[in-house]
Amino acid sequence: MTLRLFRYLAKEVLVSTVGVTLILLLVILSGRISSYLGRIAEGKMTFEFLFVILGYHIPSFVQMILPLAFFLSLLMAFGRLYIENEMSVLFSSGISKVKLAGYTLGIACMVGTVSAAINFWIAPASEYRAAEASQAQSQLSAFDFLIPGRFEGSGQRTTYVDSFTPNEGWMEQIFISDVVRKKDQNIPTQTLAAYAEQIRISSEGNQNYLVFKDGTRYEGKPGTASYRITNFDTYAVRMASQDSSPIDEPYTLSTLDLIKSPQLKDKVELQWRISLVVMVPILAIIGLSLSQVNPRQGRFFKMLPAILLMIVYIALLIWGRTGLEKGKLPIQLGLWWIHGIFIIIAALLFAQYNQIFERRKANISNTADRTPKATDTDGRSI
């Protein structure tokens, strides 16, 4: 009976948790996709990189979503059990509120284990990979984003490529309009070439060069003395490149590195990861206490105050994290005082929740005692 009941409650809550997590994840991804599509349209990112970076960021999205999804799912699942009087059946079968809280904490431990795995291992590793991919993307030049047959850029800075050779990947029939700075003057230039290719020289620190073949270069304004026309067989231009920087942001570091680090920002990041796991059982008790509703009130009667309480919890954690990073709060205090406040709130809510049940049980017993008993003709109770 006990194991079967736990499986039933776990199924109700966990299935809802997965559903809510997926819905919230889709909402976040849709917003990110629209932002990334704008960058692709501006030629700042390749289309293939969109799916790579989204895939790497998913664990970080889930680590924030999971505690919220679990809390909402607990409210909805247990609220439905109260509305359909299944909880009344459980209590009349000898299941106490304390035992129900134990089942709820058991489910919270399952969710907390998943949350810990994401927070302590999966998300940091994914963010490190995302940072590596972003650095590789930043090393690409504007020519890596060109679409054949379309002008890219605006004004005097325009690039056009007719096509790419299928084997070598050379650019064919290329036109580049640009402005160079010489002697405090902006001088327009145009370069036309039959072929062009990018070359990276590792001996010069992976410096990129754009090499033109069989073309003409126009420099200056037509009709002026400084106007020049240059025909060339080969013409190379060194391209600006970004130096790769070390990946040492706190959210990309492993949990073991954060534990060893003496840096304040790393200690704050460690506290944040722990907080996202610690809040799961606290929200579980709060959700259990606020899920009890009268069938006449509807399953969503206490949803709004519960959500507001959850928002306050998360807002305080974010505020505390910012205060720690800026040095306004002592690192020794950390975020533990916020969890302490909500542990007290959870205990008070559960105490009230348990007293309500005890009063109702007592009222039912008193009503049964006051009910007159039928007697037979000899005065004996029937």
Side-chain angles (χ1 to χ4, degrees), residues 84-115:
E84 297 179 1
N85 292 319
E86 292 187 41
M87 283 295 188
S88 300
V89 174
L90 290 178
F91 296 145
S92 63
S93 301
I95 302 298
S96 66
K97 293 291 182 71
V98 175
K99 185 175 290 187
L100 182 61
Y103 294 153
T104 306
L105 288 176
I107 302 172
C109 286
M110 298 169 64
V111 177
T113 301
V114 176
S115 178

Side-chain angles (χ1 to χ4, degrees), residues 204-322:
E204 297 186 13
N206 290 328
Q207 183 66 55
N208 282 333
Y209 286 86
L210 185 62
V211 181
F212 299 92
K213 302 284 187 179
D214 301 329
T216 305
R217 178 178 172 82
Y218 304 89
E219 184 174 331
K221 295 181 180 180
T224 62
S226 60
Y227 184 65
R228 293 191 305 171
I229 301 177
T230 305
N231 296 315
F232 57 83
D233 292 329
T234 302
Y235 176 69
V237 179
R238 189 172 68 177
M239 303 171 62
S241 61
Q242 275 189 327
D243 296 331
S244 58
S245 57
I247 303 174
D248 56 359
E249 291 296 325
Y251 58 85
T252 63
L253 299 179
S254 67
T255 303
L256 185 60
D257 290 336
L258 294 180
I259 295 174
K260 296 178 180 178
S261 175
Q263 299 292 328
L264 175 62
K265 60 180 182 178
D266 295 337
K267 293 181 179 180
V268 175
E269 175 65 22
L270 180 61
Q271 291 251 355
W272 177 255
R273 293 183 189 179
I274 296 174
S275 294
L276 293 178
V277 179
V278 172
M279 70 186 303
V280 172
I282 299 175
L283 288 176
I285 297 301
I286 294 176
L288 171 65
S289 304
L290 295 179
S291 64
Q292 182 177 5
V293 292
N294 192 302
R296 296 180 180 179
Q297 296 172 340
R299 60 191 298 185
F300 302 108
F301 178 72
K302 293 186 178 179
M303 186 73 77
L304 181 59
I307 292 176
L308 290 176
L309 191 59
M310 177 188 67
I311 292 175
V312 172
Y313 194 180
I314 296 173
L316 278 175
L317 287 175
I318 295 174
W319 174 82
R321 179 182 182 179
T322 304

Side-chain angles (χ1 to χ4, degrees), residues 138-159:
S138 66
Q139 297 297 322
L140 300 178
S141 67
F143 298 95
D144 293 299
F145 303 98
L146 290 177
I147 300 175
R150 196 174 86 176
F151 284 92
E152 301 285 348
S154 60
Q156 292 183 310
R157 301 180 186 274
T158 307
T159 305

